[in-house]
Amino acid sequence: MVYFVYRSVYEGPSGRLVRHFPDATVLDWFRRVWDDAASEDAYKWVERELGANVYGLHTIFETGLPAPRTHDELRRMLKEHLYVERTLRVDRHSVRVPTDDDEVELAYFFVDDHVVASEPDRWAYLLHEDWELPLNAPPAREAFTPPGPVDVITSAPPGGEGVTYAVLITFHATFASVGCSWPKAFPGVRLPGLAAALRAADPDLLSGELCALRALIAPGDEDIGPALERCNRWGPLEEWLPEISAPHSRAHGHALRLLEDCVPADGRDPGRTLIRCGDHLAQMAIHMDEHFGYRQWFLFDDVWAAAHPEPAASLMRFGAHWDPRCRREHARLTHCG
C-alpha cells in the first residue's frame, strides 16, 4: 500500500489530507497514474484524484515524457521537472516534498507501507486521518522517552511526578508555518496539575500562546479545559501582550476584560473550534481565520504518551520538523530542505 499525505493549513481541523492507494511502491503509483494524468489537465486530475490542489504536483505530469521505469528514473525526473520551492527528498520507499504557495509553507509525502511499518514513531500521527487523538490511557509497561529535544519550561516542583508536554501546531509567519513548533515540557507535572503549574509559571519563559493560556486560567480552575474554552474566544492569541506577562492575578483580570470586548475578525469562528479533554490529554483544533483555518494544540502527559508512544513521538516530530524521516542534526528554525 502507498500512502499520500498533504500537510496543509487549508485541509480543515487536522491540517492534513491522507489518502491510501493499493500500489506496492511509490514508483508503482506514479507508473499507474502517469498516462491518465498526462492525458488531461494535470492540475484538475490531481485535484480530483487526491482530493486537493496539491501545490505544484501537477507539473510532473506535464513533461511529455514517458512514465519512469525505475526508482532512479523517478528520482531524476522529480528532481528535474517537479515544481517545488525547496529541495525534495526521494528514496526507494518515499517521496517527501517541502514547498510553499507564497503565503504558507506546505509539505506532501508519498510513502509505502514498508516505511510506515518500520518507522511508526515517525509516521503514526501524520497518517492519523482525524484531528482528534484517542483520550484513553491504559497502563503501559514502559515509560515514554521523547524522540528529540524539548524545551523545558519550568523546574519540577518538590515531590512532583511525571511530565506534561505541549505541542502547539501554530505559526506566525510564512517562513515558519511547517515544522517550527518545538515541543515544550513541564517536568514534575501531569495534565491534571497543569492549570496550577501554569498559574505559577514565569511568563517570560512561555510562548505567546502558552502565556495567553496562563492568563486565561481562572484562580479556581482545577483542570485546563475551561481555559481552552476561553482561549477559543480570545482575540490576540498569536500576539504578544505585555499586560498578560504580569503576575497571574493581574494578568487574568486583564485577560478577562479583553475577552469581554473581543470580536472575532478575519472570518474567525469560535463555533467551529473543536475541543476534547481527558485525564491525560487535552486537544484543541482552534479555528483562527477563514483563509488559513485551524491550529492544533495538544497537551498530554507521560501517562498518555506511554500508552500511545508512537502517536506521541510522531506528533512531537511533526511539530518540530517537516520531514518525518530526517535524521540530520541541525538547529531549530533552520530549513532542512
PDB file of all heavy atoms in Angstrom, residues 185-206:
ATOM      1  N   ALA A 185       8.018  21.144  27.611  1.00  0.00           N
ATOM      2  CA  ALA A 185       7.866  20.170  28.690  1.00  0.00           C
ATOM      3  C   ALA A 185       7.740  20.878  30.032  1.00  0.00           C
ATOM      4  O   ALA A 185       8.451  21.853  30.309  1.00  0.00           O
ATOM      5  CB  ALA A 185       9.054  19.213  28.718  1.00  0.00           C
ATOM      6  N   PHE A 186       6.822  20.366  30.852  1.00  0.00           N
ATOM      7  CA  PHE A 186       6.634  20.819  32.227  1.00  0.00           C
ATOM      8  C   PHE A 186       6.940  19.632  33.137  1.00  0.00           C
ATOM      9  O   PHE A 186       6.059  18.811  33.411  1.00  0.00           O
ATOM     10  CB  PHE A 186       5.196  21.302  32.445  1.00  0.00           C
ATOM     11  CG  PHE A 186       4.809  22.504  31.629  1.00  0.00           C
ATOM     12  CD1 PHE A 186       4.376  22.357  30.314  1.00  0.00           C
ATOM     13  CD2 PHE A 186       4.881  23.778  32.163  1.00  0.00           C
ATOM     14  CE1 PHE A 186       4.016  23.462  29.553  1.00  0.00           C
ATOM     15  CE2 PHE A 186       4.525  24.893  31.410  1.00  0.00           C
ATOM     16  CZ  PHE A 186       4.092  24.731  30.102  1.00  0.00           C
ATOM     17  N   PRO A 187       8.177  19.494  33.596  1.00  0.00           N
ATOM     18  CA  PRO A 187       8.528  18.329  34.417  1.00  0.00           C
ATOM     19  C   PRO A 187       7.881  18.395  35.797  1.00  0.00           C
ATOM     20  O   PRO A 187       7.610  19.478  36.332  1.00  0.00           O
ATOM     21  CB  PRO A 187      10.054  18.422  34.511  1.00  0.00           C
ATOM     22  CG  PRO A 187      10.368  19.859  34.284  1.00  0.00           C
ATOM     23  CD  PRO A 187       9.330  20.371  33.336  1.00  0.00           C
ATOM     24  N   GLY A 188       7.637  17.208  36.351  1.00  0.00           N
ATOM     25  CA  GLY A 188       7.047  17.128  37.680  1.00  0.00           C
ATOM     26  C   GLY A 188       5.574  17.462  37.721  1.00  0.00           C
ATOM     27  O   GLY A 188       5.010  17.665  38.800  1.00  0.00           O
ATOM     28  N   VAL A 189       4.938  17.508  36.555  1.00  0.00           N
ATOM     29  CA  VAL A 189       3.519  17.884  36.469  1.00  0.00           C
ATOM     30  C   VAL A 189       2.838  16.960  35.470  1.00  0.00           C
ATOM     31  O   VAL A 189       3.359  16.752  34.366  1.00  0.00           O
ATOM     32  CB  VAL A 189       3.349  19.346  35.999  1.00  0.00           C
ATOM     33  CG1 VAL A 189       1.876  19.683  35.807  1.00  0.00           C
ATOM     34  CG2 VAL A 189       3.998  20.312  36.970  1.00  0.00           C
ATOM     35  N   ARG A 190       1.708  16.416  35.852  1.00  0.00           N
ATOM     36  CA  ARG A 190       0.863  15.713  34.889  1.00  0.00           C
ATOM     37  C   ARG A 190      -0.324  16.604  34.543  1.00  0.00           C
ATOM     38  O   ARG A 190      -0.556  17.627  35.183  1.00  0.00           O
ATOM     39  CB  ARG A 190       0.434  14.354  35.443  1.00  0.00           C
ATOM     40  CG  ARG A 190       1.616  13.383  35.539  1.00  0.00           C
ATOM     41  CD  ARG A 190       1.192  11.934  35.638  1.00  0.00           C
ATOM     42  NE  ARG A 190       2.342  11.065  35.433  1.00  0.00           N
ATOM     43  CZ  ARG A 190       2.904  10.311  36.389  1.00  0.00           C
ATOM     44  NH1 ARG A 190       2.385  10.318  37.625  1.00  0.00           N
ATOM     45  NH2 ARG A 190       3.955   9.565  36.120  1.00  0.00           N
ATOM     46  N   LEU A 191      -1.063  16.213  33.527  1.00  0.00           N
ATOM     47  CA  LEU A 191      -2.087  17.106  32.986  1.00  0.00           C
ATOM     48  C   LEU A 191      -3.069  17.618  34.043  1.00  0.00           C
ATOM     49  O   LEU A 191      -3.427  18.803  34.008  1.00  0.00           O
ATOM     50  CB  LEU A 191      -2.835  16.423  31.840  1.00  0.00           C
ATOM     51  CG  LEU A 191      -3.781  17.339  31.061  1.00  0.00           C
ATOM     52  CD1 LEU A 191      -3.014  18.440  30.336  1.00  0.00           C
ATOM     53  CD2 LEU A 191      -4.618  16.540  30.065  1.00  0.00           C
ATOM     54  N   PRO A 192      -3.527  16.789  34.996  1.00  0.00           N
ATOM     55  CA  PRO A 192      -4.450  17.340  35.996  1.00  0.00           C
ATOM     56  C   PRO A 192      -3.863  18.498  36.803  1.00  0.00           C
ATOM     57  O   PRO A 192      -4.616  19.298  37.364  1.00  0.00           O
ATOM     58  CB  PRO A 192      -4.748  16.132  36.894  1.00  0.00           C
ATOM     59  CG  PRO A 192      -4.555  14.950  36.003  1.00  0.00           C
ATOM     60  CD  PRO A 192      -3.394  15.318  35.131  1.00  0.00           C
ATOM     61  N   GLY A 193      -2.541  18.604  36.864  1.00  0.00           N
ATOM     62  CA  GLY A 193      -1.916  19.692  37.603  1.00  0.00           C
ATOM     63  C   GLY A 193      -1.395  20.822  36.740  1.00  0.00           C
ATOM     64  O   GLY A 193      -0.762  21.755  37.253  1.00  0.00           O
ATOM     65  N   LEU A 194      -1.672  20.771  35.425  1.00  0.00           N
ATOM     66  CA  LEU A 194      -1.089  21.772  34.531  1.00  0.00           C
ATOM     67  C   LEU A 194      -1.651  23.164  34.780  1.00  0.00           C
ATOM     68  O   LEU A 194      -0.915  24.157  34.688  1.00  0.00           O
ATOM     69  CB  LEU A 194      -1.315  21.368  33.073  1.00  0.00           C
ATOM     70  CG  LEU A 194      -0.713  22.319  32.030  1.00  0.00           C
ATOM     71  CD1 LEU A 194       0.804  22.418  32.187  1.00  0.00           C
ATOM     72  CD2 LEU A 194      -1.076  21.879  30.615  1.00  0.00           C
ATOM     73  N   ALA A 195      -2.936  23.271  35.088  1.00  0.00           N
ATOM     74  CA  ALA A 195      -3.516  24.596  35.326  1.00  0.00           C
ATOM     75  C   ALA A 195      -2.784  25.296  36.464  1.00  0.00           C
ATOM     76  O   ALA A 195      -2.396  26.469  36.352  1.00  0.00           O
ATOM     77  CB  ALA A 195      -5.007  24.471  35.626  1.00  0.00           C
ATOM     78  N   ALA A 196      -2.569  24.590  37.559  1.00  0.00           N
ATOM     79  CA  ALA A 196      -1.858  25.186  38.691  1.00  0.00           C
ATOM     80  C   ALA A 196      -0.413  25.503  38.323  1.00  0.00           C
ATOM     81  O   ALA A 196       0.131  26.544  38.718  1.00  0.00           O
ATOM     82  CB  ALA A 196      -1.914  24.243  39.894  1.00  0.00           C
ATOM     83  N   ALA A 197       0.228  24.613  37.564  1.00  0.00           N
ATOM     84  CA  ALA A 197       1.620  24.841  37.179  1.00  0.00           C
ATOM     85  C   ALA A 197       1.750  26.067  36.285  1.00  0.00           C
ATOM     86  O   ALA A 197       2.702  26.849  36.420  1.00  0.00           O
ATOM     87  CB  ALA A 197       2.168  23.603  36.475  1.00  0.00           C
ATOM     88  N   LEU A 198       0.816  26.261  35.376  1.00  0.00           N
ATOM     89  CA  LEU A 198       0.875  27.432  34.503  1.00  0.00           C
ATOM     90  C   LEU A 198       0.605  28.718  35.278  1.00  0.00           C
ATOM     91  O   LEU A 198       1.229  29.751  35.008  1.00  0.00           O
ATOM     92  CB  LEU A 198      -0.124  27.287  33.354  1.00  0.00           C
ATOM     93  CG  LEU A 198       0.350  26.462  32.156  1.00  0.00           C
ATOM     94  CD1 LEU A 198      -0.799  26.209  31.189  1.00  0.00           C
ATOM     95  CD2 LEU A 198       1.506  27.145  31.439  1.00  0.00           C
ATOM     96  N   ARG A 199      -0.310  28.669  36.224  1.00  0.00           N
ATOM     97  CA  ARG A 199      -0.547  29.870  37.042  1.00  0.00           C
ATOM     98  C   ARG A 199       0.740  30.319  37.730  1.00  0.00           C
ATOM     99  O   ARG A 199       1.000  31.512  37.875  1.00  0.00           O
ATOM    100  CB  ARG A 199      -1.630  29.599  38.089  1.00  0.00           C
ATOM    101  CG  ARG A 199      -3.053  29.717  37.585  1.00  0.00           C
ATOM    102  CD  ARG A 199      -4.052  29.768  38.730  1.00  0.00           C
ATOM    103  NE  ARG A 199      -4.086  28.526  39.480  1.00  0.00           N
ATOM    104  CZ  ARG A 199      -4.971  27.552  39.302  1.00  0.00           C
ATOM    105  NH1 ARG A 199      -5.910  27.679  38.378  1.00  0.00           N
ATOM    106  NH2 ARG A 199      -4.933  26.454  40.035  1.00  0.00           N
ATOM    107  N   ALA A 200       1.551  29.344  38.140  1.00  0.00           N
ATOM    108  CA  ALA A 200       2.784  29.658  38.872  1.00  0.00           C
ATOM    109  C   ALA A 200       3.991  29.859  37.963  1.00  0.00           C
ATOM    110  O   ALA A 200       5.064  30.235  38.439  1.00  0.00           O
ATOM    111  CB  ALA A 200       3.082  28.530  39.867  1.00  0.00           C
ATOM    112  N   ALA A 201       3.834  29.630  36.661  1.00  0.00           N
ATOM    113  CA  ALA A 201       4.974  29.667  35.746  1.00  0.00           C
ATOM    114  C   ALA A 201       5.439  31.095  35.489  1.00  0.00           C
ATOM    115  O   ALA A 201       4.663  32.056  35.558  1.00  0.00           O
ATOM    116  CB  ALA A 201       4.601  28.996  34.428  1.00  0.00           C
ATOM    117  N   ASP A 202       6.710  31.223  35.165  1.00  0.00           N
ATOM    118  CA  ASP A 202       7.280  32.507  34.763  1.00  0.00           C
ATOM    119  C   ASP A 202       6.823  32.805  33.339  1.00  0.00           C
ATOM    120  O   ASP A 202       7.196  32.094  32.404  1.00  0.00           O
ATOM    121  CB  ASP A 202       8.805  32.422  34.825  1.00  0.00           C
ATOM    122  CG  ASP A 202       9.483  33.740  34.452  1.00  0.00           C
ATOM    123  OD1 ASP A 202       8.799  34.657  33.956  1.00  0.00           O
ATOM    124  OD2 ASP A 202      10.711  33.838  34.644  1.00  0.00           O
ATOM    125  N   PRO A 203       6.018  33.838  33.126  1.00  0.00           N
ATOM    126  CA  PRO A 203       5.500  34.102  31.773  1.00  0.00           C
ATOM    127  C   PRO A 203       6.589  34.412  30.763  1.00  0.00           C
ATOM    128  O   PRO A 203       6.389  34.233  29.563  1.00  0.00           O
ATOM    129  CB  PRO A 203       4.557  35.288  31.975  1.00  0.00           C
ATOM    130  CG  PRO A 203       5.003  35.921  33.252  1.00  0.00           C
ATOM    131  CD  PRO A 203       5.520  34.811  34.105  1.00  0.00           C
ATOM    132  N   ASP A 204       7.749  34.873  31.229  1.00  0.00           N
ATOM    133  CA  ASP A 204       8.833  35.180  30.300  1.00  0.00           C
ATOM    134  C   ASP A 204       9.393  33.925  29.635  1.00  0.00           C
ATOM    135  O   ASP A 204      10.112  34.020  28.636  1.00  0.00           O
ATOM    136  CB  ASP A 204       9.958  35.922  31.021  1.00  0.00           C
ATOM    137  CG  ASP A 204       9.543  37.327  31.449  1.00  0.00           C
ATOM    138  OD1 ASP A 204       8.614  37.879  30.827  1.00  0.00           O
ATOM    139  OD2 ASP A 204      10.135  37.854  32.406  1.00  0.00           O
ATOM    140  N   LEU A 205       9.078  32.757  30.189  1.00  0.00           N
ATOM    141  CA  LEU A 205       9.562  31.501  29.628  1.00  0.00           C
ATOM    142  C   LEU A 205       8.539  30.841  28.714  1.00  0.00           C
ATOM    143  O   LEU A 205       8.804  29.775  28.158  1.00  0.00           O
ATOM    144  CB  LEU A 205       9.936  30.530  30.757  1.00  0.00           C
ATOM    145  CG  LEU A 205      11.018  31.014  31.727  1.00  0.00           C
ATOM    146  CD1 LEU A 205      11.243  29.975  32.818  1.00  0.00           C
ATOM    147  CD2 LEU A 205      12.313  31.303  30.984  1.00  0.00           C
ATOM    148  N   LEU A 206       7.382  31.467  28.555  1.00  0.00           N
ATOM    149  CA  LEU A 206       6.291  30.867  27.795  1.00  0.00           C
ATOM    150  C   LEU A 206       6.180  31.490  26.408  1.00  0.00           C
ATOM    151  O   LEU A 206       6.482  32.667  26.212  1.00  0.00           O
ATOM    152  CB  LEU A 206       4.967  31.050  28.535  1.00  0.00           C
ATOM    153  CG  LEU A 206       4.883  30.495  29.961  1.00  0.00           C
ATOM    154  CD1 LEU A 206       3.523  30.822  30.565  1.00  0.00           C
ATOM    155  CD2 LEU A 206       5.127  28.990  29.978  1.00  0.00           C
TER     156      LEU A 206
END
